């Protein structure tokens, strides 16, 4: 079975990640459910307000960076924030994005799933934001 992710599907996933990161950046947690089709987390806005904002506050960070914000690592090394993982059963793929704040790793990973639908579209599922 072909486990390649088409460029069209990658682009769709990237746009979804960009939208969610923009909402995180603007602290518009109530709007995140509108960026996906379903969530593994029952009360997503409350979870994000508590967990995401709590992480920012605990670590003295202002906000999470938008998509493609530069990473300022010392020493410099090649780094990729977005990773795709095709499912072996061909049902879709996962996307993990490592969050940054102020160009530094925030030690949190946005986890999404994209499931292939019969009409060729993707179903966007918010899975979690996990510590790294």
């Amino acid at each position: 079975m072909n486990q390649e992710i088409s460029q069209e599907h990658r682009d769709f996933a990237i746009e979804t990640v960009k939208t969610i990161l923009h909402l995180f950046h603007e602290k518009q947690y109530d709007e995140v459910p509108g960026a996906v089709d379903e969530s593994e987390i029952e009360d997503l806005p409350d979870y994000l307000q508590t967990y995401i904002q709590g992480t920012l506050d605990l670590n003295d960070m202002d906000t999470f960076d938008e998509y493609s914000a530069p990473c300022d690592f010392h020493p410099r090394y090649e780094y990729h924030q977005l990773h795709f993982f095709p499912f072996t059963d061909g049902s879709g793929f996962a996307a993990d994005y490592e969050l940054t704040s102020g160009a530094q790793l925030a030690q949190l990973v946005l986890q999404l799933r994209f499931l292939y639908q019969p009409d060729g579209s993707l179903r966007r599922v918010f899975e979690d934001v996990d510590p790294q």
Side-chain angles (χ1 to χ4, degrees):
M1 176 166 286
N2 185 358
Q3 293 180 15
E4 280 292 312
I5 302 168
S6 73
Q7 190 60 51
E8 177 183 357
H9 286 148
R10 283 177 183 268
D11 291 345
F12 181 80
I14 289 169
E15 286 305 312
T16 301
V17 169
K18 283 181 181 180
T19 299
I20 292 171
L21 291 176
H22 176 73
L23 294 170
F24 282 6
H25 181 75
E26 297 294 323
K27 301 180 183 181
Q28 296 176 335
Y29 306 119
D30 289 346
E31 302 296 320
V32 174
V36 294
D37 300 303
E38 68 180 89
S39 173
E40 294 289 318
I41 298 166
E42 192 170 313
D43 187 352
L44 185 57
D46 183 59
Y47 172 81
L48 294 173
Q49 180 64 45
T50 301
Y51 185 65
I52 299 295
Q53 188 59 46
T55 298
L56 288 171
D57 295 342
L58 183 66
N59 292 295
D60 232 6
M61 295 183 242
D62 181 43
T63 189
F64 290 110
D65 296 332
E66 299 260 8
Y67 184 85
S68 293
C71 297
D72 187 21
F73 301 121
H74 301 284
R76 301 266 306 139
Y77 62 92
E78 185 174 350
Y79 178 73
H80 303 282
Q81 286 179 278
L82 180 61
H83 305 276
F84 291 109
F85 306 96
F87 299 147
T88 57
D89 66 1
S91 64
F93 59 94
D96 286 2
Y97 186 88
E98 297 181 33
L99 299 172
T100 60
S101 178
Q104 298 294 316
L105 283 174
Q107 305 303 318
L108 290 174
V109 178
L110 170 64
Q111 297 178 324
L112 303 170
R113 282 184 290 141
F114 295 88
L115 305 174
Y116 298 127
Q117 300 301 291
D119 66 359
S121 66
L122 290 173
R123 183 163 185 79
R124 304 163 297 175
V125 180
F126 190 103
E127 196 165 286
D128 206 352
V129 178
D130 272 347
Q132 213 171 6

